[in-house]
Amino acid sequence: MRKGAGGEVRERPALRGLLLTILSLLALVAPAANAERIKDLASIQGVRVNQLAGYGLVVGLDGSGDQTTQTPFTIQSVISMLSQLGVNLPQGTSLQLKNVAAVMITASLPAFAKPGQTIDVTVSSMGNAKSLRGGTLLLAPLKGADGQVYAMAQGNLLVGGAGESANGSKVQVNQLSVGRIAAGATVERAVATPLGQGEFIHLELNTTDFTTARRVVEAINRELGGRAAVAVDGRVIAVRAPADADQRVSFLARLEGLEVIPAPGMAKVIINARTGSVVMNQSVSVDSCAVAHGNLSVIVTTEPVISQPGPLSSGGQTVQARRSQIEIHQDAGSLIMLKGVSLAEVVKALNSIGATPQDLLSILQAMKASGALRAELEII
């Protein structure tokens, strides 16, 4: 700051401009820090993908195909395919093939897909083929849940894994029995996807939440004016939309770009009992409680004991026996006091007493049973 000719105090122009710039940036960034687009929070009712599946044959494998004596369906498929191509095998012919594998083909048919467009497919071995690497999928139909054919798949497989074996030794990297064909299927039939019924479209939130639904309704009405949007329940929002198809598409593009701050999720702890993984969100808190932790280890050691007959003795035999020793060690238990803490403090406190992920499973279940854990406990 500086004093002017008349004695008044004036701010430095450079400093004032810098402060105004910082305040402007904070005003723009702070409100939208946690905002998400409606496109990320909800989907449009009726706009969905459809799952397709089919059965086929992969040929051209380098001796890593199905063992046909153990997979008779592979032989039946080969004979059926050859008969359709005009090749009739003599009755009772035994085929010993090594370069063919029976596979299942899966794909997702996106919304608004039209005949002639291509989609990716995943090819998975259903027999005992060692590898699908280098194989070619023969033309196979892909059907939907209604049994109708919606796409035809064919092409060369791309397998991300690699492997080699020799003299009983084997090295393998990644999975060899699953491959993928980019743009490997051509759509043959479209699925009707209506954009709403009548004058309304319906937005479906990815997660049921009444607060988020209310905020989405408020954001849409603030943008469009009036009561264009109405919440049907905690997940579905009805929005009045134009009747013309082109105008409706532009209208939906306008809605998808609106930003909404979603409500904080409910406190939840997810436990994977198979891997020992524990994930807690930021809303988890703990009431006052005491946690004791201790380890009990049992060690069993078995050693061979050889008993031999004495020198110059006759008729004696050497006897081998086993002697086992059992030791029990119990570490001193640790007692820690938790008082109304947050997620970060819970993790830090439990780690301080040496709790492993497996220990956390038992500790969190006990805390939930005692009522100290203020969160929903979900085991997957």
Side-chain angles (χ1 to χ4, degrees):
M1 302 178 69
R2 62 182 180 180
K3 184 176 292 186
E8 70 275 15
V9 177
R10 298 180 181 178
E11 297 178 348
R12 293 182 181 178
L15 179 60
R16 182 175 58 184
L18 179 60
L19 292 176
L20 291 176
T21 302
I22 294 175
L23 292 176
S24 300
L25 291 175
L26 291 176
L28 291 174
V29 175
N34 299 323
E36 297 184 28
R37 298 176 302 173
I38 292 181
K39 177 188 293 187
D40 302 321
L41 293 174
S43 59
I44 302 172
Q45 191 177 77
V47 180
R48 46 160 292 181
V49 299
N50 292 275
Q51 303 300 323
L52 305 179
Y55 171 83
L57 291 174
V58 171
V59 299
L61 302 176
D62 188 13
S64 60
D66 291 339
Q67 297 179 6
T68 53
T69 55
Q70 301 176 6
T71 56
F73 51 85
T74 304
I75 294 299
Q76 295 175 5
S77 302
V78 171
I79 294 176
S80 176
M81 178 197 66
L82 292 177
S83 64
Q84 294 178 9
L85 296 177
V87 179
N88 296 318
L89 299 177
Q91 191 71 21
T93 301
S94 177
L95 300 179
Q96 299 293 330
L97 306 176
K98 295 183 179 180
N99 301 335
V100 182
V103 295
M104 291 299 297
I105 312 156
T106 56
S108 296
L109 182 66
F112 309 115
K114 303 300 180 183
Q117 294 181 341
T118 57
I119 56 177
D120 298 344
V121 298
T122 301
V123 181
S124 307
S125 172
M126 63 176 301
N128 53 10
K130 297 179 181 179
S131 173
L132 298 181
R133 191 178 182 87
T136 300
L137 174 68
L138 298 181
L139 188 65
L142 300 181
K143 299 181 179 181
D146 57 358
Q148 301 294 326
V149 176
Y150 287 90
M152 299 295 293
Q154 181 172 277
N156 298 324
L157 273 71
L158 176 61
V159 179
E164 193 64 44
S165 60
N167 300 325
S169 300
K170 180 179 180 181
V171 175
Q172 179 174 323
V173 179
N174 297 332
Q175 182 65 271
L176 298 176
S177 58
V178 178
R180 191 168 178 84
I181 307 177
T186 303
V187 178
E188 301 293 339
R189 177 179 299 183
V191 178
T193 307
L195 280 177
Q197 299 293 332
E199 59 178 342
F200 288 95
I201 63 167
H202 293 83
L203 300 178
E204 296 180 344
L205 297 179
N206 300 330
T207 303
T208 300
D209 191 285
F210 292 97
T211 304
T212 303
R214 177 180 60 83
R215 293 180 181 180
V216 171
V217 170
E218 292 175 350
I220 295 176
N221 289 336
R222 187 167 50 249
E223 174 72 17
L224 303 179
R227 288 180 54 84
V230 178
V232 178
D233 50 37
R235 194 180 190 96
V236 180
I237 300 167
V239 185
R240 194 182 304 274
D244 181 72
D246 181 66
Q247 295 180 1
R248 181 162 289 195
V249 171
S250 301
F251 177 79
L252 290 174
R254 181 181 177 186
L255 290 187
E256 287 182 338
L258 297 180
E259 292 188 344
V260 177
I261 299 178
M266 62 182 300
K268 182 176 289 188
V269 178
I270 307 297
I271 297 177
N272 190 326
R274 295 181 294 274
T275 62
S277 303
V278 179
V279 179
M280 297 176 278
N281 62 17
Q282 61 183 1
S283 302
V284 175
S285 62
V286 178
D287 288 343
S288 298
C289 65
V291 177
H293 172 73
N295 290 325
L296 178 68
S297 58
V298 180
I299 302 176
V300 180
T301 304
T302 302
E303 298 178 353
V305 178
I306 307 298
S307 176
Q308 295 182 343
L312 304 178
S313 62
S314 59
Q317 295 182 352
T318 300
V319 178
Q320 179 178 351
R322 292 182 177 273
R323 181 175 57 191
S324 299
Q325 294 181 351
I326 301 177
E327 299 178 4
I328 299 178
H329 299 285
Q330 185 171 9
D331 297 339
S334 301
L335 183 64
I336 189 169
M337 191 69 182
L338 302 177
K339 296 182 179 180
V341 293
S342 62
L343 166 64
E345 294 170 332
V346 170
V347 174
K348 182 178 179 180
L350 292 178
N351 287 337
S352 68
I353 61 175
T356 65
Q358 291 294 339
D359 297 328
L360 285 176
L361 303 182
S362 301
I363 293 175
L364 292 174
Q365 284 182 325
M367 292 173 63
K368 177 65 175 178
S370 67
L373 181 63
R374 294 296 184 178
E376 179 185 352
L377 195 61
E378 181 178 342
I379 301 177
I380 60 176

